[in-house]
Amino acid sequence: MSKGFAVSDEVVFLRDNILETTGQRIWGLSFTLYPDGKFDIEYDYDKPEGYEETDETVSGDEASSSLGGLLK
């Protein structure tokens, strides 16, 4: 596995952990590693402009019927 994937996995873990422990969703993360080994992590809690969350869900039947035409 490349290091890029490991870093991405850790960022997703942090995102999920912060949501679970604080109830707040982070939308951005800045990680700075200094030459002396110290680091700084800054979180952005502001939702990106234009992003809309919906509570809409698609049932399995709806997904199957809409994808059914692709198999023909």
Side-chain angles (χ1 to χ4, degrees), residues 47-53:
K47 187 177 359 177
E49 189 174 316
Y51 181 85
E52 293 189 28
E53 293 181 276

Side-chain angles (χ1 to χ4, degrees), residues 43-65:
Y43 304 105
D44 181 2
Y45 294 97
D46 297 327
K47 187 177 359 177
E49 189 174 316
Y51 181 85
E52 293 189 28
E53 293 181 276
T54 65
D55 291 333
E56 294 180 22
T57 58
V58 177
S59 72
D61 291 336
E62 290 172 321
S64 293
S65 66

Side-chain angles (χ1 to χ4, degrees), residues 11-72:
V11 170
V12 170
F13 170 80
L14 281 172
R15 178 202 65 192
D16 293 345
N17 185 267
I18 290 170
L19 180 59
E20 183 178 319
T21 58
T22 68
Q24 293 185 321
R25 176 183 247 175
I26 63 169
W27 294 93
L29 181 141
S30 295
F31 177 85
T32 305
L33 178 62
Y34 298 100
D36 63 1
K38 293 181 181 180
F39 63 90
D40 187 38
I41 302 175
E42 295 179 16
Y43 304 105
D44 181 2
Y45 294 97
D46 297 327
K47 187 177 359 177
E49 189 174 316
Y51 181 85
E52 293 189 28
E53 293 181 276
T54 65
D55 291 333
E56 294 180 22
T57 58
V58 177
S59 72
D61 291 336
E62 290 172 321
S64 293
S65 66
S66 66
L67 296 174
L70 297 176
L71 300 174
K72 294 179 183 177

